[in-house]
Amino acid sequence: MKVKLIFVVAIVSVMAAVISMSFRATNYTPRSSSNMSELYSYQVPGGRIAAGMSEYFGSLRNNVNTGTVSITEYMNAINASMAMESKRALNTVWSELGPDNVGGRIRAFLQDKDTPNIMFAGSVSGGLFRSTTRGTSWVPVNDYQENLNVSCIAQNSDGIITYGTGEGSFVGIDGTANGTPGFAGAGIFVSTNRGRTFTRVVSTSGFGNINSMANEKGTTRIYAGTNNGIKYTDNGTTWTNSRNGNSLEVKVASNGVVYAQSGTAIVRSKDRGNQWSVITPPNASITRASLAISPQDPNYVYVLASASGRLNGVYRSTDGGDTWTQIIAQGTTYFDPLVAGLSNPQGTFNNVITVNPNNKDHIIMGGVYLAEWKLGTNAKYIASLNDFGGANPAYVHADKHVLEWDMSTNPPTLICGNDGGLFFSSDNLRTFTAKNFGFNATQFYA
């Protein structure tokens, strides 16, 4: 009997150890917690300077006179590299070794207007990917495109698809080498064959950061918010400047009214970008803001405002932006989806909001965390940053950048793009499933 008891105890101990290892939490650690700064130093006139790894590599690559890499210098280097035709000269063949189910940062998502199974996901570290299986698997469109820093995408009524490049406006870095975010773009790319191939619009090559794109439904008009102003096109190749200033966000209501963030203001155009008026919510302090418009009612407009990376508040208009009501107050210790932990505000980097297409009084917002608000209730978190070894159905990776809806399912499927790729919820936000097979855009940094 004693031998049997010892045997049973041993078996139970082994099973407990295996379960413990299987359900070990994967925790999100803010990027500011890196302690690499003492490991590197570099030579300057008069001595050496201790620096972080990104600053060290930046010192090797930056212009020695300016301390930065300008967009012009960046493009000259790319063109010189392509002129060398090094890929052909070396005759090098690369084989991808994975990981093949771990996504990377996504800032652009598009579902084909006529074929719901066709989807596009744009990564800032791997280019544009295409799925013909409604996100079950992904393949790159072109690994040799002139620029793989995809930041936004849109499709017009003719099926023309455009995407923009450049992430610098979101992180306060414009074409420097200090870290993986913020690499300069190479303008706007266009496809006339439903996204099978793309060509660069040469006239946009100097655009460093294309931050946002939106289509006026049922028309050929596409708007783009860039670091050089708000622009629009009807054919994908000819872009007209509509308003000056840095624009991080542009959205179009179903009635054709255009809303955008321009500098520190929220602006509106009722005549397709010819004239703009400032409609910033009173008392709103904006470093960055995201916008959402109800598909049910174009007069229901929401603004998620961030001041210095923290939640300044969420504002709602039920009359198309003429008047505003603050529905969520400034962030606190207990609720601020834009702050990692208690001390790392990221609202200028990850900031996104959407309206439930079936309920104009229900919004979902994302920053570090995913949260929701319904009329008559308080805002609350709805997802976890821990996957518990793959066993947590509420897990959604940190740092949300995209919130879109697949309207071909019932109920509509929420699609969340973030630093870990894509997560789908098709059961009214109760559970989430990662859809990253083949979306090989994992970033390595710090």
Side-chain angles (χ1 to χ4, degrees):
M1 178 65 73
K2 189 176 297 185
V3 173
K4 289 183 178 179
L5 180 60
I6 293 173
F7 178 75
V8 170
V9 170
I11 292 296
V12 171
S13 299
V14 171
M15 291 178 63
V18 170
I19 293 174
S20 175
M21 293 177 63
S22 299
F23 287 86
R24 184 174 297 166
T26 300
N27 297 317
Y28 168 69
T29 303
R31 58 179 52 80
S32 62
S33 63
S34 173
N35 61 354
M36 300 290 288
S37 60
E38 299 304 321
L39 298 184
Y40 295 88
S41 65
Y42 58 92
Q43 186 71 41
V44 296
R48 301 186 67 82
I49 293 180
M53 182 168 60
S54 62
E55 287 82 2
Y56 168 71
F57 283 113
S59 73
L60 301 181
R61 298 164 178 157
N62 290 341
N63 184 307
V64 294
N65 296 317
T66 64
T68 64
V69 176
S70 70
I71 293 174
T72 300
E73 291 169 322
Y74 174 82
M75 293 307 304
N76 288 342
I78 291 294
N79 293 333
S81 176
M82 293 179 66
M84 292 169 61
E85 300 189 52
S86 56
K87 289 188 284 290
R88 293 194 185 96
L90 294 174
N91 196 28
T92 303
V93 177
W94 291 88
S95 298
E96 184 133 23
L97 299 181
D100 60 5
N101 63 345
V102 179
R105 185 183 310 147
I106 169 179
R107 285 199 179 272
F109 180 86
L110 174 70
Q111 186 173 28
D112 186 85
K113 69 183 189 69
D114 298 320
T115 310
N117 282 349
I118 297 178
M119 296 177 171
F120 297 87
S123 166
V124 298
S125 60
L128 188 67
F129 288 74
R130 187 172 187 261
S131 173
T132 58
T133 59
R134 204 187 293 262
T136 301
S137 60
W138 299 88
V139 295
V141 173
N142 181 4
D143 277 336
Y144 301 103
Q145 200 78 60
E146 291 93 331
N147 188 278
L148 300 180
N149 189 226
V150 178
S151 54
C152 53
I153 190 169
Q155 183 181 35
N156 72 7
S157 59
D158 288 341
I160 293 174
I161 299 174
T162 62
Y163 73 78
T165 57
E167 194 192 16
S169 293
F170 298 111
V171 292
I173 302 173
D174 189 12
T176 73
N178 294 327
T180 56
F183 285 122
I188 293 173
F189 294 75
V190 61
S191 172
T192 58
N193 58 10
R194 306 307 280 262
R196 293 177 179 84
T197 60
F198 285 81
T199 57
R200 182 168 57 164
V201 180
V202 177
S203 61
T204 69
S205 298
F207 297 177
N209 296 296
I210 317 299
N211 306 312
S212 178
M213 283 185 174
N215 165 244
E216 180 185 345
K217 301 300 182 185
T219 76
T220 57
R221 178 63 56 88
I222 293 176
Y223 295 88
T226 81
N227 62 325
N228 290 315
I230 301 170
K231 306 178 188 300
Y232 63 82
T233 185
D234 286 295
N235 57 17
T237 57
T238 303
W239 290 82
T240 302
N241 191 59
S242 177
R243 179 183 172 90
N244 294 326
N246 186 27
S247 176
L248 299 178
E249 179 91 330
V250 59
K251 292 289 177 65
V252 187
S254 59
N255 58 3
V257 177
V258 188
Y259 299 85
Q261 177 193 357
S262 181
T264 59
I266 303 300
V267 297
R268 177 184 65 190
S269 175
K270 294 183 177 181
D271 58 1
R272 308 190 82 200
N274 291 313
Q275 294 180 318
W276 295 87
S277 58
V278 176
I279 58 166
T280 308
N283 303 318
S285 178
I286 296 174
T287 304
R288 181 187 172 194
S290 54
L291 299 162
I293 307 166
S294 169
Q296 281 185 328
D297 188 337
N299 290 312
Y300 276 63
V301 183
Y302 293 84
V303 174
L304 171 59
S306 170
S308 300
R310 297 182 180 275
L311 177 64
N312 171 258
V314 178
Y315 302 84
R316 177 169 93 150
S317 175
T318 60
D319 55 15
D322 291 335
T323 61
W324 298 90
T325 301
Q326 187 174 17
I327 59 173
I328 301 177
Q330 291 184 356
T332 67
T333 301
Y334 306 101
F335 181 82
D336 193 331
L338 306 181
V339 176
L342 299 176
S343 60
N344 188 12
Q346 297 184 188
T348 56
F349 171 66
N350 37 223
N351 182 322
V352 63
I353 187 172
T354 187
V355 186
N356 185 330
N358 291 338
N359 184 355
K360 61 187 179 182
D361 295 314
H362 178 203
I363 59 172
I364 297 91
M365 68 205 90
V368 178
Y369 304 92
L370 197 63
E372 69 174 351
W373 172 90
K374 294 181 181 179
L375 185 64
T377 68
N378 294 323
K380 65 178 182 180
Y381 297 124
I382 58 173
S384 171
L385 297 185
N386 300 317
D387 70 354
F388 298 113
N392 183 4
Y395 170 64
V396 179
H397 195 283
D399 299 351
K400 286 70 176 173
H401 308 287
V402 170
L403 290 174
E404 297 286 350
W405 296 90
D406 178 0
M407 294 301 297
S408 66
T409 64
N410 187 22
T413 296
L414 177 69
I415 300 168
C416 178
N418 48 62
D419 276 14
L422 296 115
F423 291 74
F424 287 48
S425 178
S426 56
D427 56 4
N428 290 316
L429 311 181
R430 286 191 291 269
T431 63
F432 293 85
T433 303
K435 296 284 185 79
N436 290 319
F437 182 68
F439 186 61
N440 295 356
T442 303
Q443 286 187 318
F444 297 86
Y445 52 80

